[in-house]
């Protein structure tokens, strides 16, 4: 593997023990993945943010070596809301564990964003930018929508990239590897965030690791639809990227998306296919005790739409309604009065975290309503809860009535 | 690339991915395997429902599998198994994926890349040695 003089210096320990250890691992990683060289990255998104995370020992090792990030870096969702952990019911012991990790991130110089959708709050990356991100849904989003380039990095490789400013050049960093692999024609009607979530789930499950090229999908009305699609594809297929003809930047035409190599076969997605996904993920009864919106994290615009929709309606007493967003977005929404407008209904806007990490909480709802396939899929094994999966309006109706109708 | 016989031992020439040498009993599957949720990290036992190797224990074994596709969280699980002493001693995979590679590097587990056909030549229960630098699998006894 070719290394520049500066990278050699990193490997030889001239930039300190943390950089040396990081470069040693990255070189082995690059060798195994058949990378010919390292490339500089502009940004990293780093995980290992939650207590009981199995990789924590590695984070501690890097912090003790004095590691610092040298490119702008954001952090993945953690296990608590930094302001409302008491209200949510986390124990002091658990919060102390979480605070320790927050401190590690501070020491590393990573921005305390704690979000699964960092692309909402950072300055958009330029087309073709090389980055190193973990969080599967965010990876799919920025590769596809921005034309930024990242492999599906794990928590450790993203941190090592942040510390050295380098990642091995293979996979999604290489133009030829970004060409579409499967032609997916969508004739199903897509009218809500949940439909995009279901589409991603279904296509991910059918295709597995691949780069689908969607035809027949009009440019979604809201950015949240792209987020939902990305999350579904990554969840079930480990899909790092998709193309959408006439919509995403590397797919002006079908030929473009396939780099001239258009396959003969097509996967056709019908209303019945989406319905089968809804059926598969509907595991609960009609008595709704919890509602989740904002998976992936909601943007300012999503929160504003929600506030407008709720108007003066009230959440049915006893139903826990959780709206997920980042701390950054929440603070802006607070200044605009949006959070207050949402919360007078009885709903709760939660930042920094994800209900899937609420396993330690007492009294979790037995049945949740949500528009996110990812919550439905992981929530059953991770929380032991059951789910109703459907369009946003229906989910909100469940918040107001406590019933899935 | 097939199997050659050297000194009465079967030798499979493949590709080295992560350096190191390991010896142990082979566990072989054509399936994918995820270290996240696939195994009990405290004991090494394979617990994934419906997996062809369910019930086997990974500790000290040489695991031959198709790929580790799935959640990127797998690296942390493999790293932790390395610390707990429940990790496999070596890995052979058909399609290498980053989380397994990173986990293996951190847990100091050698990894080789082999073809599907080569994988089919190895039997669960055989004693094998893998060399992640030379890219070689030696079947010590079947």
């Amino acid at each position: 593997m070719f290394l520049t003089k500066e990278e050699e210096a990193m490997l030889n320990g001239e930039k300190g023990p943390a950089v040396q250890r990081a470069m040693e691992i990255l070189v082995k990683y690059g060798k195994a993945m058949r990378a010919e060289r390292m490339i500089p990255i502009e940004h990293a998104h780093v995980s290992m943010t939650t207590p009981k995370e199995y990789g924590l020992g590695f984070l501690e090792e890097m912090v003790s070596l004095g590691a610092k990030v040298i490119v702008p870096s954001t952090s993945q969702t953690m296990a608590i809301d930094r302001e409302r952990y008491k209200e949510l019911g986390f124990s002091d012991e658990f919060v102390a564990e979480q605070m320790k990790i927050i401190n590690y991130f501070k020491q590393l110089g990573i921005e305390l964003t704690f979000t699964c959708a960092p692309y909402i709050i950072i300055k958009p990356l330029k087309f073709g930018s090389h980055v190193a991100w973990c969080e599967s849904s965010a990876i799919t989003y920025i590769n596809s929508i921005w034309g930024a380039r990242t492999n599906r990095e794990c928590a450790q490789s993203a941190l090592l990239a942040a510390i050295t400013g380098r990642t091995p050049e293979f996979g999604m960093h290489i133009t030829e590897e970004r060409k579409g692999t499967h032609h997916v024609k969508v004739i199903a009607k897509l009218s809500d965030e949940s439909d995009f979530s279901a589409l991603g789930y279904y296509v991910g499950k059918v295709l597995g690791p691949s780069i689908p090229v969607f035809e027949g999908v009009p440019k979604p009305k809201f950015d949240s639809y792209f987020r939902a699609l990305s999350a579904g594809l990554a969840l079930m297929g480990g899909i790092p990227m998709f193309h959408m003809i006439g919509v995403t930047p590397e797919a002006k035409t079908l030929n473009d998306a396939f780099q001239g190599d258009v396959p003969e076969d097509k996967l056709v997605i019908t209303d019945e296919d989406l319905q089968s996904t809804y059926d598969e993920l509907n595991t609960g009864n009609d008595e709704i005790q919890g509602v989740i919106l904002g998976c992936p994290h909601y943007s300012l615009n999503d929160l504003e739409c929600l506030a407008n929709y709720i108007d003066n309606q009230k959440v049915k007493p006893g139903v826990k309604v959780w709206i997920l967003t980042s701390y950054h977005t929440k603070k802006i929404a607070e200044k605009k009065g949006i959070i207050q407008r949402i919360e007078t209904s009885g709903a709760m806007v939660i930042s920094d975290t994800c209900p899937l990490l609420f396993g330690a909480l007492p009294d979790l709802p037995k049945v949740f309503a949500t528009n996110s396939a990812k919550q439905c899929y992981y929530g059953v094994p991770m929380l032991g809860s059951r789910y109703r999966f459907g369009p946003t309006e229906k989910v909100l109706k469940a918040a107001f009535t406590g019933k899935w109708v | 690339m097939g199997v050659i016989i050297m000194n009465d031992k079967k030798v499979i020439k493949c590709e080295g991915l992560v350096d190191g040498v390991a010896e142990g009993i082979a566990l072989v599957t054509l399936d994918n395997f995820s270290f996240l949720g696939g195994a009990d990290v405290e004991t090494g036992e394979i617990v994934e429902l419906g997996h062809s190797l369910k019930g086997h224990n990974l500790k000290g074994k040489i695991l031959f599998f198709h790929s580790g596709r799935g959640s990127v969280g797998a690296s942390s699980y493999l790293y932790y198994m390395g610390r707990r002493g429940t990790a496999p001693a070596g890995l052979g995979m058909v399609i290498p994926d980053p989380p397994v590679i990173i986990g293996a590097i951190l847990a100091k587990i050698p990894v080789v890349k082999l073809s599907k056909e080569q994988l089919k030549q190895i039997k669960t229960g055989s004693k094998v040695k893998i060399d992640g630098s030379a890219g070689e699998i030696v079947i010590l006894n079947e």
Side-chain angles (χ1 to χ4, degrees):
Chain A
M1 192 174 181
F2 171 78
L3 295 181
T4 62
K5 276 211 175 103
E6 199 188 348
E7 288 154 8
E8 287 283 0
M10 292 181 185
L11 191 60
N12 295 334
E14 288 168 41
K15 311 248 166 147
V19 173
Q20 182 176 28
R21 170 93 165 114
M23 192 47 99
E24 276 169 11
I25 300 167
L26 285 177
V27 168
K28 286 182 187 172
Y29 174 38
K31 241 180 82 189
M33 299 312 294
R34 304 295 185 244
E36 286 175 11
R37 56 174 187 169
M38 296 285 172
I39 38 164
I41 57 157
E42 293 175 27
H43 188 277
H45 181 61
V46 183
S47 191
M48 292 186 283
T49 41
T50 59
K52 300 196 169 60
E53 135 93 46
Y54 287 121
L56 217 50
F58 183 72
L59 181 70
E60 284 167 348
E61 182 195 336
M62 294 315 289
V63 170
S64 71
L65 288 174
K68 298 266 181 243
V69 302
I70 63 166
V71 295
S73 304
T74 46
S75 50
Q76 171 69 349
T77 42
M78 60 173 168
I80 64 169
D81 177 318
R82 74 185 82 181
E83 288 177 343
R84 312 184 84 166
Y85 51 85
K86 274 225 163 73
E87 204 179 326
L88 282 165
F90 285 101
S91 70
D92 292 348
E93 211 184 340
F94 189 84
V95 172
E97 283 295 305
Q98 181 66 69
M99 292 301 176
K100 214 165 83 183
I101 300 169
I102 296 177
N103 267 324
Y104 293 150
F105 273 73
K106 266 191 204 157
Q107 288 176 53
L108 286 162
I110 298 171
E111 266 189 83
L112 306 180
T113 54
F114 301 116
T115 178
C116 56
Y119 47 83
I120 292 176
I121 62 173
I122 66 168
K123 205 172 107 211
L125 298 162
K126 281 200 204 81
F127 181 83
S129 305
H130 296 281
V131 302
W133 282 29
C134 67
E135 169 47 34
S136 62
S137 69
I139 290 163
T140 310
Y141 181 97
I142 62 163
N143 271 321
S144 313
I145 309 301
W146 284 356
R149 297 182 172 202
T150 179
N151 281 317
R152 281 165 44 83
E153 300 297 349
C154 56
Q156 294 79 19
S157 57
L159 175 63
L160 300 173
I163 292 167
T164 58
R166 303 289 194 285
T167 194
E169 185 182 44
F170 70 93
M172 287 294 107
H173 294 288
I174 296 170
T175 303
E176 294 73 41
E177 305 264 338
R178 299 169 68 84
K179 73 176 192 183
T181 59
H182 294 76
H183 188 176
V184 182
K185 191 172 165 70
V186 181
I187 57 171
K189 193 166 172 279
L190 304 170
S191 42
D192 190 83
E193 191 179 316
S194 67
D195 293 334
F196 282 82
S197 187
L199 174 66
Y201 181 97
Y202 182 84
V203 172
K205 196 171 168 183
V206 172
L207 296 184
S210 58
I211 300 181
V213 176
F214 290 103
E215 190 194 350
V217 183
K219 188 174 184 340
K221 264 198 290 190
F222 300 105
D223 187 64
S224 61
Y225 294 7
F226 278 137
R227 278 176 246 147
L229 176 62
S230 300
L233 291 169
L235 168 71
M236 292 311 279
I239 289 173
M241 177 179 190
F242 64 87
H243 296 285
M244 204 177 268
I245 306 298
V247 177
T248 58
E250 286 160 79
K252 288 192 178 61
T253 64
L254 194 65
N255 204 48
D256 238 17
F258 284 107
Q259 297 183 16
D261 201 3
V262 183
E264 282 176 19
D265 294 347
K266 258 183 233 178
L267 174 68
V268 178
I269 308 293
T270 63
D271 288 326
E272 290 72 37
D273 295 329
L274 290 199
Q275 190 53 50
S276 73
T277 298
Y278 281 109
D279 293 344
E280 185 176 326
L281 292 171
N282 269 312
T283 51
N285 60 33
D286 296 339
E287 302 295 322
I288 304 298
Q289 297 164 354
V291 165
I292 297 167
L293 293 172
C295 168
H297 278 174
Y298 266 175
S299 67
L300 187 62
N301 182 54
D302 301 325
L303 292 176
E304 193 160 17
C305 289
L306 185 66
N308 293 342
Y309 182 86
I310 290 177
D311 204 4
N312 278 316
Q313 300 176 83
K314 296 283 177 225
V315 166
K316 168 117 190 203
V319 180
K320 286 179 173 152
V321 180
W322 293 335
I323 315 298
L324 289 317
T325 186
S326 69
Y327 185 74
H328 180 91
T329 302
K330 189 177 169 179
K331 287 292 132 182
I332 299 172
E334 265 175 14
K335 284 206 187 95
K336 293 175 172 272
I338 294 168
I339 302 296
Q340 295 81 335
R341 279 170 59 209
I342 294 173
E343 293 200 331
T344 48
S345 72
M348 189 174 182
V349 180
I350 296 174
S351 69
D352 302 315
T353 184
C354 172
L356 293 172
L357 302 169
F358 286 179
L361 286 187
D363 305 325
L364 278 172
K366 285 192 181 65
V367 183
F368 283 104
T370 180
N371 59 0
S372 157
K374 189 170 182 172
Q375 292 290 326
C376 300
Y377 181 77
Y378 276 140
V380 174
M382 289 177 81
L383 303 181
S385 294
R386 294 283 180 262
Y387 291 80
R388 299 306 313 235
F389 175 41
T392 315
E393 268 197 68
K394 196 164 172 174
V395 172
L396 281 166
K397 209 161 273 171
F400 302 139
T401 63
K403 298 267 182 218
W404 186 257
V405 281
Chain B
M1 281 187 291
V3 178
I4 34 178
I5 309 288
M6 276 167 73
N7 302 329
D8 293 338
K9 290 192 175 70
K10 267 195 202 171
V11 177
I12 299 173
K13 290 280 178 196
C14 53
E15 290 182 57
L17 295 182
V18 178
D19 290 352
V21 175
E23 207 177 294
I25 301 296
L27 289 178
V28 187
T29 175
L30 278 164
D31 296 345
N32 293 329
F33 179 72
S34 176
F35 286 92
L36 191 160
D40 179 337
V41 292
E42 303 296 339
T43 64
E45 189 185 327
I46 296 177
V47 293
E48 187 182 324
L49 286 176
H51 199 278
S52 56
L53 290 175
K54 187 174 183 291
H56 284 275
N57 198 302
L58 288 169
K59 187 177 170 176
K61 303 283 176 16
I62 313 290
L63 175 68
F64 295 94
F65 62 124
H66 183 256
S67 181
R69 306 252 185 200
S71 170
V72 294
S75 60
S76 295
Y77 283 67
L78 188 50
Y79 164 77
Y80 181 81
M81 290 177 83
R83 283 166 63 106
R84 287 285 293 151
T86 56
L91 299 174
M93 51 204 308
V94 178
I95 299 177
D97 71 314
V100 172
I101 295 297
I102 290 284
I105 293 168
L106 296 178
K108 299 192 175 71
I109 300 169
V111 185
V112 294
K113 181 184 176 189
L114 71 174
S115 69
K116 232 183 218 177
E117 288 63 41
Q118 290 175 326
L119 186 137
K120 286 179 191 163
Q121 310 265 356
I122 309 165
K123 296 186 192 78
T124 290
S126 296
K127 193 166 188 210
V128 300
K129 186 172 134 186
I130 65 162
D131 186 330
S133 321
E136 198 177 82
I137 303 161
V138 184
I139 302 186
L140 300 168
N141 60 54
E142 289 186 272

